[in-house]
Protein backbone atom coordinates (compact mmCIF):
# COMPACT_ATOMS: atom_id res chain seq x y z
CA UNK A 1 0.00 0.00 0.00
CA UNK A 2 2.81 2.38 0.85
CA UNK A 3 4.54 1.76 -2.50
CA UNK A 4 1.32 2.43 -4.40
CA UNK A 5 0.83 5.78 -2.65
CA UNK A 6 4.47 6.68 -3.33
CA UNK A 7 4.03 5.95 -7.03
CA UNK A 8 0.94 8.14 -7.12
CA UNK A 9 2.63 11.15 -5.50
CA UNK A 10 4.47 13.48 -7.85
CA UNK A 11 7.79 15.13 -7.10
CA UNK A 12 8.78 18.55 -8.40
CA UNK A 13 11.32 17.14 -10.83
CA UNK A 14 8.74 14.70 -12.25
CA UNK A 15 6.34 17.36 -13.51
CA UNK A 16 8.46 18.59 -16.41
CA UNK A 17 9.00 15.15 -17.93
CA UNK A 18 5.38 13.91 -17.84
CA UNK A 19 3.00 14.67 -20.73
CA UNK A 20 -0.14 16.68 -20.04
CA UNK A 21 -2.52 13.70 -20.41
CA UNK A 22 -0.61 11.75 -17.75
CA UNK A 23 -0.64 14.76 -15.42
CA UNK A 24 -4.41 15.02 -15.72
CA UNK A 25 -4.77 11.44 -14.47
CA UNK A 26 -2.44 12.20 -11.58
CA UNK A 27 -4.42 15.33 -10.69
CA UNK A 28 -7.63 13.32 -10.55
CA UNK A 29 -5.99 10.70 -8.32
CA UNK A 30 -4.61 13.08 -5.71
CA UNK A 31 -5.02 16.79 -5.05
CA UNK A 32 -1.44 16.86 -3.77
CA UNK A 33 -0.22 16.11 -7.28
CA UNK A 34 -1.95 19.24 -8.54
CA UNK A 35 -0.32 21.25 -5.73
CA UNK A 36 3.09 19.82 -6.70
CA UNK A 37 2.52 20.75 -10.34
CA UNK A 38 1.45 24.28 -9.35
CA UNK A 39 4.60 24.74 -7.24
CA UNK A 40 6.74 23.35 -10.06
CA UNK A 41 5.11 25.77 -12.47
CA UNK A 42 5.92 28.68 -10.12
CA UNK A 43 9.53 27.69 -9.42
CA UNK A 44 10.78 25.88 -12.56
CA UNK A 45 10.60 26.06 -16.33
CA UNK A 46 7.94 23.65 -17.56
CA UNK A 47 7.03 22.61 -21.11
CA UNK A 48 4.45 24.82 -22.81
CA UNK A 49 1.74 22.09 -22.92
CA UNK A 50 1.90 21.68 -19.13
CA UNK A 51 1.61 25.41 -18.54
CA UNK A 52 -1.29 25.65 -20.98
CA UNK A 53 -2.95 22.82 -19.09
CA UNK A 54 -2.79 24.69 -15.78
CA UNK A 55 -3.96 28.10 -16.97
CA UNK A 56 -6.38 26.73 -19.58
CA UNK A 57 -10.13 27.02 -19.30
CA UNK A 58 -10.70 23.56 -17.80
CA UNK A 59 -8.13 23.56 -15.00
CA UNK A 60 -7.46 27.22 -14.21
CA UNK A 61 -9.76 27.34 -11.15
CA UNK A 62 -8.22 24.16 -9.74
CA UNK A 63 -4.84 25.76 -10.40
CA UNK A 64 -5.79 28.77 -8.24
CA UNK A 65 -7.13 26.37 -5.61
CA UNK A 66 -3.82 24.48 -5.52
CA UNK A 67 -1.74 27.67 -5.33
CA UNK A 68 -3.79 28.95 -2.37
CA UNK A 69 -3.16 25.66 -0.59
CA UNK A 70 0.56 25.74 -1.50
CA UNK A 71 0.95 29.31 -0.23
CA UNK A 72 -0.46 28.43 3.19
CA UNK A 73 1.57 25.22 3.47
CA UNK A 74 4.83 26.92 2.50
CA UNK A 75 4.29 29.87 4.84
CA UNK A 76 3.57 27.65 7.83
CA UNK A 77 6.46 25.33 6.90
CA UNK A 78 8.80 28.33 6.80
CA UNK A 79 7.62 29.39 10.26
CA UNK A 80 8.15 25.88 11.62
CA UNK A 81 11.64 25.71 10.07
CA UNK A 82 12.50 29.04 11.66
CA UNK A 83 11.50 27.61 15.04
CA UNK A 84 13.50 24.41 14.54
CA UNK A 85 16.49 25.99 12.80
CA UNK A 86 15.97 23.88 9.68
CA UNK A 87 18.60 24.46 6.99
CA UNK A 88 15.96 24.21 4.24
CA UNK A 89 14.39 27.47 5.34
CA UNK A 90 15.95 29.68 2.66
CA UNK A 91 14.84 27.38 -0.16
CA UNK A 92 11.27 27.21 1.19
CA UNK A 93 11.09 30.99 1.58
CA UNK A 94 12.20 31.37 -2.04
CA UNK A 95 9.49 28.97 -3.17
CA UNK A 96 6.92 30.88 -1.11
CA UNK A 97 7.79 34.17 -2.85
CA UNK A 98 7.55 32.55 -6.28
CA UNK A 99 4.23 30.88 -5.44
CA UNK A 100 2.77 34.21 -4.32
CA UNK A 101 3.78 35.85 -7.59
CA UNK A 102 2.25 32.97 -9.53
CA UNK A 103 -0.93 33.10 -7.41
CA UNK A 104 -1.36 36.75 -8.34
CA UNK A 105 -0.97 35.83 -12.01
CA UNK A 106 -3.43 32.95 -11.66
CA UNK A 107 -6.04 35.24 -10.13
CA UNK A 108 -5.54 37.65 -13.04
CA UNK A 109 -6.10 34.78 -15.48
CA UNK A 110 -9.29 33.74 -13.65
CA UNK A 111 -10.55 37.32 -13.69
CA UNK A 112 -9.80 37.50 -17.42
CA UNK A 113 -11.89 34.38 -18.06
CA UNK A 114 -14.79 35.89 -16.09
CA UNK A 115 -14.51 39.12 -18.07
CA UNK A 116 -14.62 37.20 -21.34
CA UNK A 117 -17.71 35.35 -20.15
CA UNK A 118 -19.45 38.66 -19.43
CA UNK A 119 -18.44 40.05 -22.80
CA UNK A 120 -19.79 36.98 -24.58
CA UNK A 121 -23.05 37.39 -22.70
CA UNK A 122 -23.29 41.05 -23.68
CA UNK A 123 -22.04 40.63 -27.25
CA UNK A 124 -24.62 41.92 -29.69
CA UNK A 125 -26.66 43.51 -26.90
CA UNK A 126 -24.41 46.23 -25.50
CA UNK A 127 -21.38 46.34 -27.82
CA UNK A 128 -23.33 47.43 -30.91
CA UNK A 129 -24.43 51.01 -31.34
CA UNK A 130 -27.87 50.01 -32.60
CA UNK A 131 -28.75 47.78 -29.63
CA UNK A 132 -27.32 50.30 -27.14
CA UNK A 133 -29.31 53.17 -28.66
CA UNK A 134 -32.53 51.16 -28.63
CA UNK A 135 -31.96 50.17 -24.99
CA UNK A 136 -31.24 53.74 -23.87
CA UNK A 137 -34.25 55.09 -25.75
CA UNK A 138 -36.56 52.65 -23.95
CA UNK A 139 -35.18 53.88 -20.63
CA UNK A 140 -35.59 57.52 -21.65
CA UNK A 141 -39.27 56.91 -22.50
CA UNK A 142 -40.27 54.17 -20.05
CA UNK A 143 -44.05 54.68 -20.17
CA UNK A 144 -44.31 54.47 -23.95
CA UNK A 145 -42.00 51.46 -23.99
CA UNK A 146 -44.07 49.68 -21.31
CA UNK A 147 -47.26 50.22 -23.32
CA UNK A 148 -45.68 48.87 -26.53
CA UNK A 149 -44.23 45.91 -24.65
CA UNK A 150 -47.55 45.03 -22.98
CA UNK A 151 -49.33 45.19 -26.34
CA UNK A 152 -46.79 42.84 -27.93
CA UNK A 153 -46.98 40.41 -25.00
CA UNK A 154 -50.77 40.29 -25.31
CA UNK A 155 -50.53 39.84 -29.07
CA UNK A 156 -48.19 36.85 -28.72
CA UNK A 157 -50.12 35.34 -25.81
CA UNK A 158 -47.05 35.12 -23.58
CA UNK A 159 -47.88 33.89 -20.04
CA UNK A 160 -47.43 36.42 -17.25
CA UNK A 161 -44.00 36.77 -15.71
CA UNK A 162 -43.45 34.64 -12.63
CA UNK A 163 -42.85 36.89 -9.69
CA UNK A 164 -40.03 35.76 -7.43
CA UNK A 165 -39.54 36.73 -3.83
CA UNK A 166 -36.75 39.25 -3.59
CA UNK A 167 -33.45 37.48 -2.84
CA UNK A 168 -31.41 38.73 0.05
CA UNK A 169 -28.26 36.97 -1.11
CA UNK A 170 -26.98 34.33 -3.53
CA UNK A 171 -28.07 31.53 -1.23
CA UNK A 172 -31.67 32.77 -1.42
CA UNK A 173 -31.38 32.76 -5.22
CA UNK A 174 -30.08 29.19 -5.25
CA UNK A 175 -32.71 27.89 -2.85
CA UNK A 176 -35.50 29.61 -4.82
CA UNK A 177 -34.18 28.08 -8.03
CA UNK A 178 -34.37 24.63 -6.42
CA UNK A 179 -37.89 25.23 -5.08
CA UNK A 180 -39.14 26.44 -8.49
CA UNK A 181 -37.50 23.62 -10.42
CA UNK A 182 -34.96 25.77 -12.24
CA UNK A 183 -32.25 23.62 -10.62
CA UNK A 184 -33.10 19.96 -10.87
CA UNK A 185 -31.64 18.54 -7.63
CA UNK A 186 -33.00 16.17 -5.03
CA UNK A 187 -32.66 16.41 -1.28
CA UNK A 188 -32.17 12.81 -0.19
CA UNK A 189 -32.18 11.53 3.38
CA UNK A 190 -28.43 12.17 3.77
CA UNK A 191 -28.84 15.84 2.84
CA UNK A 192 -31.82 16.26 5.16
CA UNK A 193 -29.91 14.57 7.99
CA UNK A 194 -26.98 16.94 7.43
CA UNK A 195 -29.25 19.99 7.54
CA UNK A 196 -30.84 18.79 10.79
CA UNK A 197 -27.52 18.47 12.64
CA UNK A 198 -26.86 20.83 15.56
CA UNK A 199 -24.47 23.65 14.82
CA UNK A 200 -21.53 22.14 16.71
CA UNK A 201 -21.94 18.75 15.04
CA UNK A 202 -22.29 20.31 11.59
CA UNK A 203 -19.21 22.45 12.18
CA UNK A 204 -17.28 19.31 13.15
CA UNK A 205 -18.27 17.75 9.81
CA UNK A 206 -17.03 20.90 8.05
CA UNK A 207 -13.72 20.67 9.95
CA UNK A 208 -13.32 17.01 8.94
CA UNK A 209 -13.83 18.00 5.32
CA UNK A 210 -11.14 20.69 5.70
CA UNK A 211 -8.61 18.11 6.86
CA UNK A 212 -9.30 15.65 4.01
CA UNK A 213 -8.17 16.99 0.65
CA UNK A 214 -8.76 13.75 -1.25
CA UNK A 215 -11.96 12.69 0.50
CA UNK A 216 -14.08 15.82 0.27
CA UNK A 217 -17.63 15.62 1.55
CA UNK A 218 -19.79 16.04 -1.57
CA UNK A 219 -22.90 16.57 0.57
CA UNK A 220 -21.53 19.94 1.68
CA UNK A 221 -21.58 21.01 -1.98
CA UNK A 222 -25.32 20.34 -2.32
CA UNK A 223 -27.21 23.55 -3.28
CA UNK A 224 -29.41 23.38 -0.18
CA UNK A 225 -26.40 22.92 2.14
CA UNK A 226 -24.24 25.71 0.69
CA UNK A 227 -25.59 28.40 3.01
CA UNK A 228 -24.78 26.36 6.11
CA UNK A 229 -21.41 25.23 4.74
CA UNK A 230 -20.45 28.85 4.10
CA UNK A 231 -21.51 29.89 7.60
CA UNK A 232 -19.67 26.91 9.14
CA UNK A 233 -16.42 27.85 7.39
CA UNK A 234 -16.76 31.46 8.50
CA UNK A 235 -17.30 30.32 12.10
CA UNK A 236 -14.25 28.06 11.95
CA UNK A 237 -12.17 31.02 10.81
CA UNK A 238 -13.44 33.12 13.72
CA UNK A 239 -12.64 30.35 16.21
CA UNK A 240 -9.14 29.84 14.78
CA UNK A 241 -8.04 33.48 14.53
CA UNK A 242 -6.72 33.69 18.10
CA UNK A 243 -5.08 30.24 18.35
CA UNK A 244 -3.41 30.80 14.96
CA UNK A 245 -2.38 34.38 15.79
CA UNK A 246 -3.90 35.35 12.42
CA UNK A 247 -4.20 38.99 11.42
CA UNK A 248 -7.93 38.65 10.61
CA UNK A 249 -10.62 36.08 9.84
CA UNK A 250 -9.72 36.23 6.15
CA UNK A 251 -5.91 36.54 6.17
CA UNK A 252 -3.20 34.64 8.02
CA UNK A 253 -0.65 37.47 8.08
CA UNK A 254 2.71 37.43 9.78
CA UNK A 255 3.32 35.88 13.16
CA UNK A 256 3.06 38.61 15.80
CA UNK A 257 5.17 36.61 18.29
CA UNK A 258 8.59 34.99 18.25
CA UNK A 259 7.98 31.25 18.49
CA UNK A 260 11.49 30.65 19.77
CA UNK A 261 10.61 32.51 23.00
CA UNK A 262 7.61 30.25 23.70
CA UNK A 263 7.60 26.73 25.15
CA UNK A 264 8.00 24.16 22.39
CA UNK A 265 4.53 22.64 22.92
CA UNK A 266 2.80 26.03 22.78
CA UNK A 267 4.75 27.02 19.68
CA UNK A 268 3.79 23.82 17.85
CA UNK A 269 0.13 24.36 18.78
CA UNK A 270 0.29 27.76 17.07
CA UNK A 271 1.93 26.19 14.01
CA UNK A 272 -0.79 23.54 13.78
CA UNK A 273 -3.54 26.13 14.23
CA UNK A 274 -2.05 28.24 11.43
CA UNK A 275 -1.93 25.24 9.10
CA UNK A 276 -5.60 24.50 9.83
CA UNK A 277 -6.49 28.17 9.31
CA UNK A 278 -4.90 28.09 5.84
CA UNK A 279 -6.84 24.93 4.98
CA UNK A 280 -10.11 26.61 6.00
CA UNK A 281 -9.30 29.59 3.78
CA UNK A 282 -8.76 27.24 0.85
CA UNK A 283 -12.14 25.60 1.54
CA UNK A 284 -13.80 29.03 1.59
CA UNK A 285 -12.42 29.55 -1.90
CA UNK A 286 -13.89 26.18 -2.87
CA UNK A 287 -17.29 27.20 -1.46
CA UNK A 288 -17.30 30.53 -3.32
CA UNK A 289 -16.35 28.75 -6.52
CA UNK A 290 -19.27 26.32 -6.12
CA UNK A 291 -21.69 29.20 -5.52
CA UNK A 292 -20.51 31.06 -8.63
CA UNK A 293 -20.88 27.95 -10.77
CA UNK A 294 -24.45 27.39 -9.57
CA UNK A 295 -25.42 31.04 -10.13
CA UNK A 296 -24.01 30.89 -13.66
CA UNK A 297 -26.07 27.76 -14.31
CA UNK A 298 -29.21 29.45 -12.99
CA UNK A 299 -28.68 32.44 -15.28
CA UNK A 300 -28.04 30.15 -18.26
CA UNK A 301 -31.25 28.20 -17.64
CA UNK A 302 -33.29 31.37 -17.17
CA UNK A 303 -32.05 32.72 -20.48
CA UNK A 304 -32.86 29.43 -22.21
CA UNK A 305 -36.41 29.30 -20.82
CA UNK A 306 -38.94 29.61 -23.71
CA UNK A 307 -41.08 32.12 -21.84
CA UNK A 308 -38.09 34.36 -21.12
CA UNK A 309 -36.96 34.01 -24.74
CA UNK A 310 -40.40 35.12 -25.96
CA UNK A 311 -40.39 38.08 -23.55
CA UNK A 312 -36.97 39.17 -24.83
CA UNK A 313 -38.29 39.05 -28.39
CA UNK A 314 -41.31 41.12 -27.33
CA UNK A 315 -38.96 43.66 -25.75
CA UNK A 316 -36.89 43.88 -28.93
CA UNK A 317 -40.07 44.43 -30.99
CA UNK A 318 -41.26 47.16 -28.60
CA UNK A 319 -37.92 48.98 -28.78
CA UNK A 320 -38.03 48.98 -32.59
CA UNK A 321 -41.56 50.43 -32.59
CA UNK A 322 -40.42 53.06 -30.10
CA UNK A 323 -37.52 54.09 -32.35
CA UNK A 324 -39.94 54.36 -35.30
CA UNK A 325 -42.16 56.65 -33.24
CA UNK A 326 -39.21 58.84 -32.15
CA UNK A 327 -36.70 58.80 -35.02
CA UNK A 328 -35.04 62.08 -34.02
CA UNK A 329 -34.33 60.88 -30.46
CA UNK A 330 -32.96 57.58 -31.75
CA UNK A 331 -30.76 59.41 -34.28
CA UNK A 332 -29.53 61.72 -31.51
CA UNK A 333 -28.30 58.75 -29.43
CA UNK A 334 -26.64 57.14 -32.46
CA UNK A 335 -24.88 60.40 -33.23
CA UNK A 336 -23.51 60.65 -29.68
CA UNK A 337 -22.30 57.03 -29.82
CA UNK A 338 -20.50 57.50 -33.13
CA UNK A 339 -17.45 58.94 -31.36
CA UNK A 340 -17.02 55.63 -29.53
CA UNK A 341 -17.22 53.29 -32.54
CA UNK A 342 -14.22 51.26 -33.65
CA UNK A 343 -15.98 50.65 -36.98
CA UNK A 344 -19.43 51.64 -38.23
CA UNK A 345 -22.02 50.28 -35.81
CA UNK A 346 -19.57 48.57 -33.44
CA UNK A 347 -18.65 50.18 -30.12
CA UNK A 348 -15.07 50.07 -28.88
CA UNK A 349 -14.93 48.99 -25.19
CA UNK A 350 -11.57 50.75 -24.83
CA UNK A 351 -13.23 54.07 -25.71
CA UNK A 352 -16.67 53.55 -24.20
CA UNK A 353 -15.50 52.48 -20.77
CA UNK A 354 -17.94 51.86 -17.95
CA UNK A 355 -17.41 55.40 -16.60
CA UNK A 356 -17.84 57.01 -20.02
CA UNK A 357 -20.90 54.86 -20.73
CA UNK A 358 -22.54 55.80 -17.43
CA UNK A 359 -21.91 59.54 -17.88
CA UNK A 360 -23.12 59.58 -21.50
CA UNK A 361 -26.19 57.51 -20.69
CA UNK A 362 -27.18 59.70 -17.73
CA UNK A 363 -26.85 62.88 -19.82
CA UNK A 364 -28.87 61.54 -22.73
CA UNK A 365 -31.63 60.17 -20.53
CA UNK A 366 -31.92 63.53 -18.80
CA UNK A 367 -32.11 65.37 -22.13
CA UNK A 368 -34.49 62.98 -23.88
CA UNK A 369 -36.78 62.38 -20.93
CA UNK A 370 -38.89 65.44 -21.80
CA UNK A 371 -40.52 63.61 -24.71
CA UNK A 372 -37.85 62.58 -27.16
CA UNK A 373 -36.31 65.93 -28.02
CA UNK A 374 -33.91 68.37 -26.50
CA UNK A 375 -35.02 69.88 -23.22
CA UNK A 376 -36.46 73.34 -23.40
CA UNK A 377 -33.96 76.04 -22.51
CA UNK A 378 -34.31 77.37 -19.01
CA UNK A 379 -34.92 81.11 -18.60
CA UNK A 380 -32.00 82.91 -17.05
CA UNK A 381 -32.35 83.54 -13.36
CA UNK A 382 -31.30 86.94 -12.10
CA UNK A 383 -28.55 86.56 -9.56
CA UNK A 384 -28.46 89.04 -6.66
CA UNK A 385 -25.43 91.28 -6.70
CA UNK A 386 -22.94 90.36 -4.01
CA UNK A 387 -22.45 92.82 -1.13
CA UNK A 388 -19.39 95.06 -1.35
CA UNK A 389 -16.29 93.49 0.09
CA UNK A 390 -14.73 95.30 3.06
CA UNK A 391 -11.41 97.01 2.58
CA UNK A 392 -8.46 94.73 3.47
CA UNK A 393 -6.94 95.35 6.85
CA UNK A 394 -3.16 95.90 6.98
CA UNK A 395 -1.21 92.80 7.93
CA UNK A 396 0.89 92.99 11.09
CA UNK A 397 4.61 92.89 10.43
CA UNK A 398 6.39 89.67 11.31
CA UNK A 399 9.28 89.83 13.80
CA UNK A 400 12.68 89.88 12.12
CA UNK A 401 13.83 86.81 14.01
CA UNK A 402 10.81 84.72 12.93
CA UNK A 403 11.38 82.12 10.20
CA UNK A 404 8.29 81.67 8.06
CA UNK A 405 6.83 82.32 4.65
CA UNK A 406 8.26 85.87 4.42
CA UNK A 407 11.70 85.23 5.88
CA UNK A 408 13.51 81.89 5.47
CA UNK A 409 14.98 80.34 8.56
CA UNK A 410 18.12 78.35 9.08
CA UNK A 411 18.49 75.76 6.33
CA UNK A 412 15.49 77.08 4.36
CA UNK A 413 15.67 78.20 0.75
CA UNK A 414 13.76 81.03 -0.78
CA UNK A 415 11.91 78.93 -3.35
CA UNK A 416 8.99 76.54 -2.79
CA UNK A 417 9.87 73.32 -1.03
CA UNK A 418 9.65 70.22 -3.23
CA UNK A 419 6.70 67.91 -2.55
CA UNK A 420 7.82 64.30 -2.08
CA UNK A 421 6.21 61.88 -4.50
CA UNK A 422 6.23 58.13 -5.08
CA UNK A 423 9.57 56.63 -6.08
CA UNK A 424 10.13 56.24 -9.77
CA UNK A 425 9.42 52.74 -11.07
CA UNK A 426 11.87 51.04 -13.35
CA UNK A 427 11.61 48.04 -15.58
CA UNK A 428 14.21 46.27 -13.48
CA UNK A 429 11.95 46.46 -10.43
CA UNK A 430 8.96 45.05 -12.28
CA UNK A 431 9.94 41.94 -14.23
CA UNK A 432 7.45 40.76 -16.88
CA UNK A 433 6.35 37.80 -14.77
CA UNK A 434 2.86 39.14 -14.10
CA UNK A 435 1.99 39.35 -17.79
CA UNK A 436 3.27 35.90 -18.65
CA UNK A 437 0.15 34.11 -17.45
CA UNK A 438 -2.11 36.33 -19.53
CA UNK A 439 -0.03 35.76 -22.63
CA UNK A 440 -0.10 32.00 -22.12
CA UNK A 441 -3.82 32.08 -21.43
CA UNK A 442 -4.42 33.95 -24.68
CA UNK A 443 -2.46 31.35 -26.66
CA UNK A 444 -4.38 28.48 -25.05
CA UNK A 445 -7.89 29.80 -25.78
Amino acid sequence: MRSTETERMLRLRDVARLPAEVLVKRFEEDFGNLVTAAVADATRRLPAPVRRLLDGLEWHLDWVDALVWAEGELQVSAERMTLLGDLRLRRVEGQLRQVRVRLHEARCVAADYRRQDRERLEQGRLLTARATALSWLSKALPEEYAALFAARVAELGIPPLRRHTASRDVFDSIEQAVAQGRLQVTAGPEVRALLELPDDTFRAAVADDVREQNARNVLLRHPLVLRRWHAGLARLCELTVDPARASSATALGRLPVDLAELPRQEAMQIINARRFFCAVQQRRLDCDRTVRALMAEIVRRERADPVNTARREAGAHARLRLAEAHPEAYARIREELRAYESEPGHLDPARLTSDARGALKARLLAELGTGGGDPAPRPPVAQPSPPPRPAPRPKPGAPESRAGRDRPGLGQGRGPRPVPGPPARTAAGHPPLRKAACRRAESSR
Side-chain angles (χ1 to χ4, degrees), residues 203-272:
R203 191 163 57 246
V206 174
D208 291 339
D209 177 76
V210 168
R211 298 185 183 97
E212 294 294 335
Q213 280 294 344
N214 294 313
R216 303 190 183 190
N217 189 347
V218 295
L219 296 178
L220 294 174
R221 279 87 178 156
H222 190 280
L224 297 179
V225 187
L226 283 176
R227 181 194 298 275
R228 204 172 183 194
W229 185 31
H230 184 271
L233 289 170
R235 182 57 179 160
L236 282 178
C237 285
E238 295 173 359
L239 295 175
T240 318
V241 165
D242 291 339
R245 305 294 198 274
S247 59
S248 70
T250 58
L252 181 63
R254 292 181 176 272
L255 261 175
V257 296
D258 186 359
L259 294 179
E261 298 178 355
L262 301 177
R264 178 62 58 87
Q265 183 178 1
E266 182 180 351
M268 292 307 299
Q269 288 176 349
I270 294 176
I271 290 293
N272 293 333

Side-chain angles (χ1 to χ4, degrees), residues 31 34 38 54 58-67 289:
F31 178 77
L34 179 58
L54 293 175
E58 181 180 0
W59 283 93
H60 77 281
L61 292 177
D62 298 277
W63 177 44
V64 175
D65 195 2
L67 285 170
R289 171 182 168 183

Side-chain angles (χ1 to χ4, degrees), residues 54-57 60-61 63-65 67-68 99-118 285 292 432-442 445:
L54 293 175
D55 59 22
L57 181 60
H60 77 281
L61 292 177
W63 177 44
V64 175
D65 195 2
L67 285 170
V68 170
V99 164
R100 282 174 171 164
V101 171
R102 200 73 175 113
L103 177 58
H104 172 77
E105 297 171 354
R107 284 170 171 158
C108 290
V109 171
D112 190 48
Y113 277 116
R114 291 195 296 270
R115 177 185 59 78
Q116 291 183 18
D117 288 341
R118 289 194 300 269
L285 179 67
R292 282 197 301 270
L433 282 175
R434 297 188 178 183
K435 296 182 180 178
C438 297
R439 289 197 297 268
R440 289 194 296 277
E442 291 296 332
R445 292 167 207 163

Side-chain angles (χ1 to χ4, degrees), residues 375-420:
R378 296 181 180 179
V381 179
Q383 298 291 337
S385 58
R389 300 175 62 183
R393 300 176 58 184
K395 297 182 179 180
E400 294 184 357
S401 61
R402 177 184 174 186
R405 292 175 298 174
D406 301 323
R407 183 188 180 109
L410 182 62
Q412 291 180 320
R414 294 187 176 272
R417 298 179 65 183
V419 180

Side-chain angles (χ1 to χ4, degrees), residues 314-381:
H317 181 273
R319 284 189 289 272
L320 287 174
R321 300 290 80 79
L322 188 65
E324 292 174 357
H326 299 274
E328 294 181 358
Y330 174 75
R332 167 74 182 281
I333 300 176
R334 288 296 302 269
E335 181 64 27
E336 293 282 351
L337 289 172
R338 192 163 289 117
Y340 301 95
E341 294 180 359
S342 57
E343 55 184 270
H346 293 275
L347 299 176
D348 185 359
R351 298 179 190 175
L352 191 61
T353 61
S354 59
D355 292 339
R357 176 188 290 274
L360 178 60
K361 180 180 177 181
R363 178 170 63 84
L364 288 174
L365 294 190
E367 293 175 358
L368 300 175
T370 58
D374 294 332
R378 296 181 180 179
V381 179

